[in-house]
Amino acid sequence: MIKRGEASAQQAENAKIIAEAGVDSNDRAAVLQAFLNNFSRVVIEKIQPLEKLDEQRRQAIFDAESLKAERNTVSKEVGRRKANKEPADDLLAGMKEVADKIKELEKKVENIDQTMNDLLMTIPNVPSPATPVGHDETANLEVHKYGTPKDFAFAPKDHVDLGANLGILDFERAGKLTGTRFSVLMGQGARLERALINFMLDVHTQKHGYKEVLPPFMVNSNSLRGTGQLPKFEQDLFKLQGFDYYLIPTAEVPVTNLYAGEILKESDLTLSLTAYTPCFRSEAGSYGRDTRGLIRQHQFDKVELVKFCKPEDSYSELEKLLSDAEQILKLLDLPFRTVALSTGDLGFSAAKTYDIEVWLPSQKCFREISSCSNFEDFQARRAQIRFKGNDPKSKPSLVHTLNGSGLAVGRTWLAIVENYQDENGRIFIPEVLRPYLGGATHIEPEK
RNA sequence: GGAAAGGUGGCCGAGUGGCUUAAGGCGCACGCUUGGAAAGCGUGUGUAGGUCACACUACCGCGGGUUCGAAUCCCGCCCUUUCCGCCA
């Protein structure tokens, strides 16, 4: 769920494929076969019709253009004759039908475009060869590990209890104000959130070379199509009534779409941007999961990293972006591991994704705190983001886009609260954050 | 929300139905000139589809319409600027 908005829908779809095949989800071979069958079905139902449609489309465009060429020639001659006060009735005869025929052909092209687009927009990106193959998250590959989970001499509390005792986290009042899956931060809790945002932005802008962006928190449907959330994952989004506006599920959407429809200069690449935004997700289909605490909220803060680069650079840039995100956890000295997602766990738009997972003492497991992906040219094609070399004769080509959380602030907040608690319920502040908290070394109950 | 004026190539800017194939200028690139530069002169200078390459087609904010023919006329929408109202 820090995973992009579509992830839950993707998982639901995987579950549906398994259910429809009627196989035991623990039977690996049967599940794999079910996915292969589904893949064949997708090829037959979606890819094959595209070939025929493409052919029809080309023919219709060719016919229409031939007629247009004729029309232009005739119209020009009409203009010439009228200027000379010569009659042109013989030329005008039949041209009305040509115009109608052109309109008809254009309508046909439009219909084919619509049909093709509807199909194409629902086809996910092709996983990179570097993505491990597997049918779900159990096939994910651990690639990095940092730190050692602390051995508490007492039973560690979770952040809900710690936050309530310290008076810094309130779910009940958030429920009153809005509803479930919302929270209120108070006092040092609110300040810790703000400190984390500033800390992350400062590290990325000052140490990692990103340019800071503060985008709109609402975007139109076109932007969401560009990054791949629409049309397939509308149910994951909050839509504003009476507007073609949606609350952003991640800063990825406004920041990646900054350059939609534009041609960037090759010398400006790699372009690295970072943005703090709140993120809004409906979490449809995740009922009953992570209902306690800050893990899964309808609104959470995130600092996002986004890169636009040349195709040949995108995989080295992904490694850099990942290490930039990991650096935040290292500076905060929070134990984590990084996994490469398998093909079965990969989101709709990504070619390769790393998840960074932070250690949570209360759950005694690693939980996702960042997701870093290379989309190759998938988003660039949808959003038409291109670049061009200095040679004026060179044709524009699609950039590669990447993004990753750097990090999910809410989950970082709770990771700090849980990992840095002491037996008295106080929270130790990591040294790098102290300047952002007025030099405080601990969060303790207010007198 | 109300009123008015606008939206044309990388930029400025002309263009009220047909030699517009978007004038002219700036900028940029190349060439001539020069000891070198500037100035001057000349040539070129958007995107996409299409083609071996041409031809050809589309694009003057977006979408419709009228017409043989639309940057130009009509309708709707979006955005910008200014004024008023409201507001932070």
Side-chain angles (χ1 to χ4, degrees):
Chain A
M1 57 138 285
I2 307 296
K3 247 176 234 171
R4 293 167 320 287
E6 69 262 24
S8 59
Q10 190 71 46
Q11 281 167 359
E13 189 165 299
N14 289 352
K16 200 173 118 205
I17 291 165
I18 294 168
E20 276 173 3
V23 300
D24 180 355
S25 62
N26 293 319
D27 183 344
R28 290 296 179 80
V31 166
L32 193 58
Q33 191 56 50
F35 277 104
L36 282 172
N37 291 344
N38 181 64
F39 179 69
S40 312
R41 186 183 59 77
V42 168
V43 169
I44 291 163
E45 288 180 7
K46 295 189 174 176
I47 314 279
Q48 282 184 350
L50 283 172
E51 283 184 59
K52 194 162 277 176
L53 285 167
D54 184 54
E55 204 174 300
Q56 290 173 9
R57 179 175 175 275
R58 282 169 195 278
Q59 186 61 49
I61 289 174
F62 178 81
D63 292 346
E65 289 193 353
S66 304
L67 288 172
K68 280 181 190 173
E70 183 189 341
R71 180 184 68 183
N72 288 348
T73 310
V74 172
S75 292
K76 214 166 282 178
E77 177 62 12
V78 170
R80 202 189 59 77
R81 285 203 202 172
K82 292 226 166 162
N84 294 334
K85 308 238 192 270
E86 293 169 22
D89 294 354
D90 57 318
L91 292 177
L92 260 43
M95 286 316 285
K96 176 75 180 154
E97 278 135 65
V98 171
D100 288 345
K101 184 73 184 165
I102 289 171
K103 247 171 231 177
E104 196 182 304
L105 284 165
E106 284 184 332
K107 188 79 195 161
K108 186 176 175 185
V109 172
E110 193 184 310
N111 286 338
I112 294 173
D113 276 346
Q114 181 73 44
T115 310
M116 286 180 79
N117 232 345
D118 288 351
L119 281 172
L120 287 169
M121 290 299 269
T122 60
I123 297 174
N125 200 0
V126 180
S128 150
T131 291
V133 176
H135 76 274
D136 61 20
E137 73 278 1
T138 59
N140 294 349
L141 212 66
E142 185 176 302
V143 292
H144 300 151
K145 199 155 190 174
Y146 171 88
T148 318
K150 198 188 282 180
D151 206 2
F152 287 96
F154 55 96
K157 295 191 170 79
D158 80 354
H159 66 280
V160 179
D161 290 340
L162 288 162
N165 291 338
L166 289 164
I168 60 174
L169 176 61
D170 188 336
F171 288 102
E172 285 181 21
R173 290 196 175 93
K176 179 174 72 180
L177 293 170
T178 311
T180 181
R181 291 201 193 282
F182 286 89
S183 56
V184 181
L185 297 177
M186 308 269 283
Q188 288 291 79
R191 190 163 185 188
L192 176 60
E193 181 88 358
R194 187 158 56 87
L196 284 168
I197 293 165
N198 286 333
F199 166 66
M200 291 177 194
L201 286 173
D202 285 349
V203 171
H204 294 314
T205 55
Q206 290 164 26
K207 303 258 164 53
H208 299 154
Y210 291 76
K211 180 194 261 191
E212 186 171 346
V213 176
L214 206 151
F217 301 159
M218 299 179 204
V219 292
N220 59 34
S221 56
N222 195 45
S223 298
L224 287 155
R225 262 190 299 278
T227 30
Q229 284 79 12
L230 287 179
K232 228 184 158 179
F233 305 100
E234 174 147 32
Q235 74 276 5
D236 292 344
L237 302 165
F238 284 114
K239 186 175 195 320
L240 270 76
Q241 202 165 25
F243 295 87
D244 182 38
Y245 295 163
Y246 295 78
L247 296 178
I248 56 169
T250 157
E252 160 192 351
V253 181
V255 177
T256 305
N257 280 287
L258 269 178
Y259 299 108
E262 297 190 26
I263 299 173
L264 303 170
K265 277 190 288 193
E266 183 175 348
S267 55
D268 288 341
L269 303 177
T270 297
L271 184 58
S272 302
L273 303 176
T274 182
Y276 152 73
T277 70
C279 303
F280 303 91
R281 299 183 183 181
S282 76
E283 296 300 339
S286 64
Y287 302 111
R289 262 194 292 160
D290 299 314
T291 49
R292 180 177 166 86
L294 286 171
I295 286 274
R296 195 176 296 275
Q297 297 275 287
H298 286 312
Q299 173 188 326
F300 61 94
D301 291 320
K302 183 155 61 72
V303 170
E304 185 76 358
L305 306 172
V306 175
K307 284 181 186 237
F308 304 84
C309 70
K310 291 190 271 180
E312 62 266 33
D313 295 335
S314 67
Y315 279 94
S316 58
E317 291 291 354
L318 177 61
E319 297 302 318
K320 278 195 226 166
L321 189 145
L322 174 66
S323 118
D324 293 338
E326 288 176 340
Q327 184 62 24
I328 299 292
L329 286 168
K330 288 181 183 171
L331 288 169
L332 293 170
D333 201 23
L334 288 167
F336 69 86
R337 65 170 190 176
T338 301
V339 297
L341 295 194
S342 77
T343 47
D345 205 19
L346 205 61
F348 179 75
S349 307
K352 182 171 172 70
T353 298
Y354 292 110
D355 276 5
I356 306 172
E357 301 176 334
V358 70
W359 177 257
L360 294 188
S362 68
Q363 300 191 0
K364 294 188 171 53
C365 68
F366 290 97
R367 292 301 303 258
E368 183 183 340
I369 196 164
S370 172
S371 189
C372 302
S373 300
N374 183 359
F375 302 92
E376 298 190 358
D377 62 10
F378 185 84
Q379 295 180 327
R381 180 171 294 107
R382 292 165 80 111
Q384 283 299 298
I385 308 168
R386 294 172 294 175
F387 76 99
K388 196 175 151 169
N390 290 329
D391 178 6
K393 271 178 286 196
S394 67
K395 291 243 172 188
S397 32
L398 296 167
V399 301
H400 278 194
T401 63
L402 302 93
N403 69 55
S405 347
L407 307 160
V409 180
R411 289 190 178 182
T412 309
W413 190 99
L414 77 91
I416 286 174
V417 168
E418 293 196 3
N419 281 283
Y420 283 109
Q421 62 180 299
D422 67 15
E423 62 260 286
N424 300 319
R426 300 192 311 167
I427 312 299
F428 178 83
I429 309 279
E431 273 184 42
V432 291
L433 283 180
R434 290 181 192 170
Y436 296 89
L437 287 157
T441 58
H442 291 79
I443 296 176
E444 43 202 346
E446 287 178 22
K447 295 285 177 283

